[in-house]
Amino acid sequence: MCELLGMSANTPTDIIFSFTGLMQRSGKTGPNRDGWGIAFYDGKGIRDFRDPDPGCTSEIAELVQKYPIKSETVISHIRQANAGRVCLENTHPFTRELWGRYWTFAHNGQLQGIKSRPLEFYQPVGTTDSEYAFCWLLDQIRAKYPKPPKRRETLWRYIRKVCNELREMGVYNMLLSDGRDLGCYCSTKLCWITRKAPFTTASLKDADVTVDFHQETTPDDIVTVIATQPLTDNETWLTMNAGEMQVFYKGETLAL
Amino acid sequence: MCELLGMSANTPTDIIFSFTGLMQRSGKTGPNRDGWGIAFYDGKGIRDFRDPDPGCTSEIAELVQKYPIKSETVISHIRQANAGRVCLENTHPFTRELWGRYWTFAHNGQLQGIKSRPLEFYQPVGTTDSEYAFCWLLDQIRAKYPKPPKRRETLWRYIRKVCNELREMGVYNMLLSDGRDLGCYCSTKLCWITRKAPFTTASLKDADVTVDFHQETTPDDIVTVIATQPLTDNETWLTMNAGEMQVFYKGETLAL
């Protein structure tokens, strides 16, 4: 299975610690060696890095681990290919523009029959069921809301409804963002943790790395990390239920 | 003014030499310090790197200069802001999906009144006239060809026609690619050079760097580099005329 990683924060924050843990699972402590990718929002813009090679040995992943890119919203993914060959265009996250914003999407799971759904505006570039599902999802949103609804809750409730439909086709764990909100849908496996003052020390499960967040933060920081499986072994992560959606804005949950 | 750099090759080739020259012009030998970006196609996929900071001191630009990413089609840009503030979403190149392919675009110039043209499908994320023009151009293509025309020449002739219309609004030097073809439109300033056997030595204008392409290539390689101004001082670059378009496929010109 693939693994997902997301972050939502109220201040530009680097994700080096969590990303380092995730990259171990891309070929070293985990089997997800068929590519990796990460997208960082900076304002409305995006910086992304990706490789169809294992993250644990990728030179570009190494750069991302060394260079503290700060962002309020991040989506990352490591891939174990099942549908679609191993190549750059099949690496997550995928990005498309809607309403003058970049939407970014990563998926863990498999969807039976998704490719028989007709597509209207968006077409996949690669051959994964994931990118197809993303295009179909954006098509639904665009058809329902030619212009963005006034209240973000209205939009995310609709997205949750479409995700429920996708979940019926197989396994659909998803991260989706427009750069402001980070929507997390759980089909089988997704968990999250919010870190805020008083900050403590955390240690990675997959590498001998410990960080004292107290040294790295200010008392007002709120940082939520979402992952397929907990990345640390000394903190309590909240496990999401099947069919549950959480939307984070600046690190805090939105009531839907 | 901004500067453009493009490459079209018949075999995956690294662009470190030319990119190193261009990055000097982003804050060191030239004034284009308001951001830079580069997109490398790999199959139908894209890898891109960008920064709103000067290229000459950017750590990410330094990585790109060290790490030989090989590609058949590359588009790069350094920015001197005039329309639109200095921020990540205003850095070129811009990318959108059309017909299941990623289209990448970079522009040098300014367009009067472009923002009064109505947009249909594509919306800009940033505030530059360039991204607006790209969205409008793709809208025209999409409206004219809901499906891609059978012959690429048909498509590029249509694109040239739309570029002629854009040129009437100001200055419109452009690089545009779908990953296979690289279209280059000259409004005021653009030149190119095709390197093939027998390969010789080239030296950069903007840095004390010389490369012996004979050592770096095979006899079958064909590599065309397009730039706003010649990047080397010991080779003959072909200067394009106002209103001229060249389309390169695997390093060679397409007859339109």
Side-chain angles (χ1 to χ4, degrees):
Chain A
M1 58 174 267
C2 307
E3 293 202 31
L4 301 168
L5 169 64
M7 186 186 78
S8 169
N10 67 346
T11 186
T13 303
D14 82 60
I15 195 172
I16 291 179
F17 177 70
S18 301
F19 183 74
T20 299
L22 188 73
M23 284 304 105
Q24 311 306 313
R25 297 180 184 174
S26 178
K28 197 170 169 185
T29 61
N32 308 282
R33 51 170 49 253
D34 300 326
W36 62 274
I38 186 164
F40 299 86
Y41 282 91
D42 179 352
K44 295 173 82 181
I46 283 190
R47 238 190 223 100
D48 75 348
F49 301 89
R50 60 184 68 237
D51 242 339
D53 308 315
C56 68
T57 54
S58 161
E59 283 192 59
I60 300 178
E62 203 180 313
L63 170 91
V64 177
Q65 286 171 65
K66 279 183 191 162
Y67 182 69
I69 297 171
K70 296 199 171 194
S71 172
E72 293 186 1
T73 313
V74 177
I75 289 182
S76 182
H77 181 272
I78 51 177
R79 181 166 186 239
Q80 185 177 19
N82 38 52
R85 69 185 179 92
V86 178
C87 59
L88 192 64
E89 65 262 33
N90 284 344
T91 56
H92 307 221
F94 303 103
T95 299
R96 293 290 186 280
E97 172 264 315
L98 169 66
W99 306 322
R101 294 197 77 96
Y102 293 123
W103 287 74
T104 299
F105 169 96
H107 167 230
N108 151 233
Q110 274 180 284
L111 298 168
Q112 295 290 331
I114 180 70
K115 291 188 180 179
S116 63
R117 301 280 174 117
L119 295 178
E120 181 75 22
F121 289 108
Y122 299 95
Q123 299 290 331
V125 172
T127 53
T128 62
D129 53 353
S130 303
E131 189 187 9
Y132 199 104
F134 176 42
C135 292
W136 183 77
L137 169 62
L138 285 188
D139 263 354
Q140 307 312 303
I141 298 172
R142 194 170 179 127
K144 174 89 176 174
Y145 299 108
K147 291 185 179 178
K150 277 189 188 154
R151 296 190 69 241
R152 54 179 11 119
E153 290 83 357
T154 309
L155 173 63
W156 285 106
R157 275 195 294 264
Y158 177 68
I159 293 174
R160 181 173 60 190
K161 201 179 124 192
V162 181
C163 290
N164 286 337
E165 194 176 334
L166 284 164
R167 179 164 78 99
E168 286 172 21
M169 307 177 83
V171 173
Y172 190 73
N173 301 298
M174 174 203 83
L175 300 181
L176 175 71
S177 180
D178 66 345
R180 289 175 296 207
D181 302 338
L182 176 61
C184 311
Y185 185 85
C186 177
S187 163
T188 56
K189 212 168 182 183
L190 209 54
C191 61
W192 56 283
I193 185 168
T194 298
R195 298 187 182 114
K196 53 186 173 182
F199 289 98
T200 55
T201 296
S203 60
L204 285 182
K205 261 189 180 176
D206 298 81
D208 192 14
V209 177
T210 298
V211 67
D212 180 3
F213 286 117
H214 183 67
Q215 303 290 331
E216 312 275 332
T217 51
T218 72
D220 294 331
D221 292 5
I222 300 176
V223 182
T224 294
V225 176
I226 303 97
T228 298
Q229 307 181 58
L231 289 161
T232 57
D233 55 17
N234 68 327
E235 297 177 299
T236 305
W237 292 65
L238 296 169
T239 304
M240 288 175 67
N241 296 318
E244 180 183 344
M245 180 174 240
Q246 292 286 349
V247 180
F248 299 95
Y249 171 66
K250 290 188 175 287
E252 301 192 89
T253 53
L254 213 66
L256 291 189
Chain B
M1 57 176 269
C2 308
E3 293 203 31
L4 301 168
L5 169 64
M7 187 187 76
S8 168
N10 67 347
T11 186
T13 303
D14 82 61
I15 195 172
I16 291 179
F17 177 70
S18 302
F19 183 74
T20 299
L22 188 74
M23 284 305 104
Q24 310 307 311
R25 297 180 185 175
S26 177
K28 198 171 169 186
T29 62
N32 307 282
R33 50 170 49 255
D34 300 326
W36 62 275
I38 186 166
F40 299 86
Y41 281 92
D42 180 350
K44 297 172 80 181
I46 284 190
R47 237 189 222 102
D48 76 350
F49 302 88
R50 61 185 67 237
D51 241 339
D53 308 316
C56 69
T57 54
S58 160
E59 284 193 60
I60 299 178
E62 202 181 315
L63 169 93
V64 177
Q65 285 171 68
K66 280 186 192 158
Y67 182 69
I69 296 172
K70 296 198 171 195
S71 171
E72 294 186 2
T73 312
V74 177
I75 288 182
S76 181
H77 181 273
I78 52 177
R79 180 165 187 241
Q80 185 177 17
N82 38 51
R85 67 185 179 95
V86 178
C87 59
L88 192 65
E89 64 264 33
N90 283 345
T91 58
H92 306 221
F94 303 103
T95 300
R96 294 289 187 280
E97 173 264 315
L98 168 66
W99 306 322
R101 294 197 76 96
Y102 293 123
W103 287 75
T104 300
F105 169 97
H107 167 231
N108 151 232
Q110 274 180 285
L111 299 169
Q112 295 290 331
I114 181 69
K115 292 189 179 178
S116 63
R117 301 278 172 118
L119 295 177
E120 181 72 23
F121 179 77
Y122 300 97
Q123 298 290 332
V125 172
T127 53
T128 64
D129 53 352
S130 303
E131 189 187 10
Y132 199 103
F134 176 42
C135 293
W136 183 78
L137 169 62
L138 285 187
D139 263 355
Q140 306 313 302
I141 298 172
R142 193 170 181 128
K144 175 88 175 174
Y145 299 109
K147 290 183 180 181
K150 278 190 186 154
R151 299 189 66 240
R152 53 173 21 113
E153 290 82 358
T154 310
L155 173 63
W156 285 107
R157 275 195 294 264
Y158 177 70
I159 292 174
R160 181 172 60 190
K161 202 179 124 192
V162 181
C163 289
N164 287 337
E165 194 176 335
L166 285 165
R167 180 164 77 99
E168 285 173 22
M169 306 177 83
V171 174
Y172 190 72
N173 301 297
M174 173 204 84
L175 301 181
L176 175 70
S177 181
D178 67 345
R180 289 174 296 205
D181 302 337
L182 176 61
C184 311
Y185 185 85
C186 177
S187 163
T188 56
K189 212 168 185 182
L190 210 53
C191 61
W192 56 283
I193 187 169
T194 298
R195 299 188 181 112
K196 53 186 172 182
F199 288 98
T200 56
T201 296
S203 61
L204 285 182
K205 263 188 179 175
D206 298 82
D208 191 13
V209 178
T210 297
V211 68
D212 180 1
F213 286 118
H214 183 68
Q215 304 289 332
E216 311 275 332
T217 51
T218 72
D220 296 331
D221 292 6
I222 300 175
V223 182
T224 293
V225 175
I226 303 96
T228 297
Q229 308 183 58
L231 289 160
T232 58
D233 55 16
N234 68 328
E235 297 177 300
T236 305
W237 291 65
L238 297 168
T239 304
M240 289 175 66
N241 296 317
E244 181 184 344
M245 179 174 240
Q246 293 286 349
V247 180
F248 299 95
Y249 171 66
K250 289 188 176 287
E252 300 192 89
T253 52
L254 213 65
L256 289 189

